Amino acid sequence: KMAFYILLFVFTVGILFCSRKKSATRLSIGILWAVYAFRDDIGVDDGNYIQVIDYLKRGWGYDVEWSYRKICELALKIGMNYKFCFFVYGTLSIILLYKALDIFFEGNFKKGIYLACFYGTVFVSSVTVMRQFLAACFCFYAIALLYRDNKLTKSLIMCVLGVVFHSGAILAIPFLFILQRNYVVSYAKKIIIIFLCVACGYLGVLNILINIFMRFIPSSYQMYASSLGQSYSTAGGTLSWLLLLMFAFQCVASERAGIKVPEDKLDNVMEMGQLMYLGLLFLFVRAGVASRLAFTFLPFVATVPITFIKRIRKVQRKVVIFVLVVAMLLLMCMTLNSTAAIRNGVFIPYRGSFDFWK
């Protein structure tokens, strides 16, 4: 049952490691696109997505983002089912991810490392939070454009488009202005910020503020405040702590080496994105589903191992990269198994088809 995912990992990552051609990147990402675009209802939240289109089919209302409702209405108008929505969201997400990676990483080898880390840290969540993942990909591409051009206009447009698909993307807009000013946070400050986020999160400081502003939250987002005091499965789990420790290690290792701030512009962008994701995740760790706000920066999760590797001595990097790739394969399998345990039919086995009119 797990064979499909293992083959997907080995084949798509292996292509990038074995070939320097641009066509290899397109083939690898194309296969990943097909997995997203033609999947059936294998995600944890897919039942909710399908319910929207079922309600609309009956002429009932459903409080959800305007964009998702319009796509559902379009699917019904042309005689298609819920899979049309999955196709649209999967296609847009992978196109944006591909375009961002093309800007951030030169050469297929680095893209291969990112893709391996993507499977281990992002893949399952990206399917579960389909709408928010698309918004996150808009933000990721927006930040890539800012990194390349150092101009805000196109980046802001991308973020606004992200907000259309999920309101959480609004968090990326102030982040763009910070990056555009070339603001650099020292490694010592990053450690302090993360420590404060973890402390405030576990003390439940944010819960008080969320309760105060509850009445101003749109009803479609009330779920973010409905589980206060609880730990959402992603926040505070083994994976999030592992990523936090890797982030802390690279900060401490840099400080001990006498490096106070990132010496490379790309490293600064990656680490700022990591800081935003981990900071928000742990800040909302006891705020229930509100911890999903961190998913605005979800694509940056897969960059944590990449910047971590740079703190390892060059003579040891090849071994570390090999161990890392194997670890990401195992982590993907473990995450899939634990998610599949939620209920039958989630992720395992993978199911996909062309039955858009079923």
Side-chain angles (χ1 to χ4, degrees):
K1 292 182 178 181
M2 193 70 72
F4 173 84
Y5 294 104
I6 294 173
L7 288 173
L8 174 68
F9 182 102
V10 171
F11 192 66
T12 54
V13 174
I15 290 171
L16 293 175
F17 282 157
C18 296
S19 175
R20 297 180 180 179
K21 295 180 179 179
K22 189 78 173 178
S23 58
T25 307
R26 296 193 184 103
L27 176 59
S28 180
I29 298 299
I31 294 169
L32 180 64
W33 162 76
V35 170
Y36 278 86
F38 299 107
R39 69 182 181 86
D40 292 338
D41 54 333
I42 60 170
V44 177
D45 287 357
D46 285 355
N48 296 329
Y49 297 142
I50 295 170
Q51 190 176 57
V52 176
I53 201 167
D54 285 342
Y55 272 45
L56 293 175
K57 189 185 295 182
R58 291 174 169 82
W60 301 344
Y62 200 102
D63 195 3
V64 71
E65 281 105 350
W66 171 85
S67 55
Y68 187 70
R69 187 171 65 251
K70 288 300 178 184
I71 292 171
C72 287
E73 289 173 356
L74 176 61
L76 292 173
K77 189 174 292 185
I78 60 179
M80 291 191 176
N81 57 26
Y82 71 90
K83 283 176 65 67
F84 175 79
C85 303
F86 290 4
F87 180 88
V88 171
Y89 276 79
T91 299
L92 290 175
S93 297
I94 298 304
I95 288 173
L96 292 165
L97 185 69
Y98 167 74
K99 291 175 75 68
L101 294 179
D102 221 31
I103 294 172
F104 281 136
F105 303 116
E106 293 181 6
N108 287 352
F109 189 79
K110 290 181 179 179
K111 290 186 180 78
I113 297 175
Y114 179 89
L115 189 57
C117 297
F118 178 89
Y119 283 124
T121 61
V122 176
F123 178 67
V124 171
S125 295
S126 68
V127 174
T128 297
V129 293
M130 176 182 73
R131 292 177 296 119
Q132 196 166 2
F133 179 60
L134 175 54
C137 287
F138 268 110
C139 297
F140 194 53
Y141 181 51
I143 293 164
L145 289 173
L146 183 63
Y147 165 75
R148 185 188 66 190
D149 304 330
N150 202 35
K151 294 180 181 178
L152 276 171
T153 307
K154 290 181 180 178
S155 297
L156 284 173
I157 291 172
M158 287 297 114
C159 278
V160 170
L161 287 173
V163 172
V164 170
F165 289 97
H166 196 282
S167 299
I170 201 169
L171 294 172
I173 293 177
F175 184 67
L176 288 177
F177 285 96
I178 293 172
L179 290 180
Q180 202 268 338
R181 291 175 178 272
N182 294 317
Y183 185 70
V184 180
V185 179
S186 69
Y187 287 112
K189 287 181 180 178
K190 285 173 182 171
I191 294 171
I192 294 170
I193 291 170
I194 284 295
F195 174 78
L196 290 174
C197 287
V198 173
C200 290
Y202 277 99
L203 289 172
V205 175
L206 263 291
N207 296 10
I208 300 170
L209 295 176
I210 291 174
N211 276 320
I212 293 172
F213 292 101
M214 181 96 159
R215 58 180 175 172
F216 301 109
I217 300 174
S219 55
S220 58
Y221 287 89
Q222 289 287 338
M223 61 174 292
Y224 283 95
S226 64
S227 50
L228 294 178
Q230 302 174 25
S231 287
Y232 179 61
S233 58
T234 300
T238 303
L239 176 59
S240 57
W241 275 106
L242 176 63
L243 291 167
L244 181 71
L245 291 173
M246 293 176 77
F247 181 80
F249 170 83
Q250 67 190 26
C251 292
V252 172
S254 298
E255 278 286 331
R256 291 189 64 180
I259 304 171
K260 302 299 179 182
V261 296
E263 297 176 325
D264 181 83
K265 183 181 178 181
L266 179 59
D267 282 355
N268 182 54
V269 172
M270 295 291 105
E271 290 173 9
M272 289 290 281
Q274 296 163 16
L275 180 65
M276 290 295 294
Y277 175 83
L278 291 169
L280 287 169
L281 189 71
F282 280 94
L283 194 59
F284 289 94
V285 71
R286 292 296 186 198
V289 187
S291 61
R292 281 189 178 184
L293 290 172
F295 287 0
T296 299
F297 302 93
L298 188 61
F300 283 101
V301 178
T303 69
V304 176
I306 295 173
T307 50
F308 171 83
I309 289 169
K310 290 188 176 181
R311 302 309 184 278
I312 307 298
R313 285 187 291 180
K314 289 184 178 180
V315 293
Q316 299 173 330
R317 281 185 191 174
K318 287 185 178 181
V319 175
V320 172
I321 290 171
F322 174 78
V323 172
L324 176 70
V325 171
V326 174
M328 287 299 146
L329 174 58
L330 294 174
L331 189 58
M332 180 189 72
C333 294
M334 289 168 59
T335 308
L336 285 166
N337 268 321
S338 61
T339 308
I342 295 174
R343 69 171 184 268
N344 290 334
V346 174
F347 283 103
I348 301 175
Y350 174 81
R351 300 185 310 281
S353 68
F354 300 103
D355 295 330
F356 288 84
W357 291 271
K358 186 171 64 175

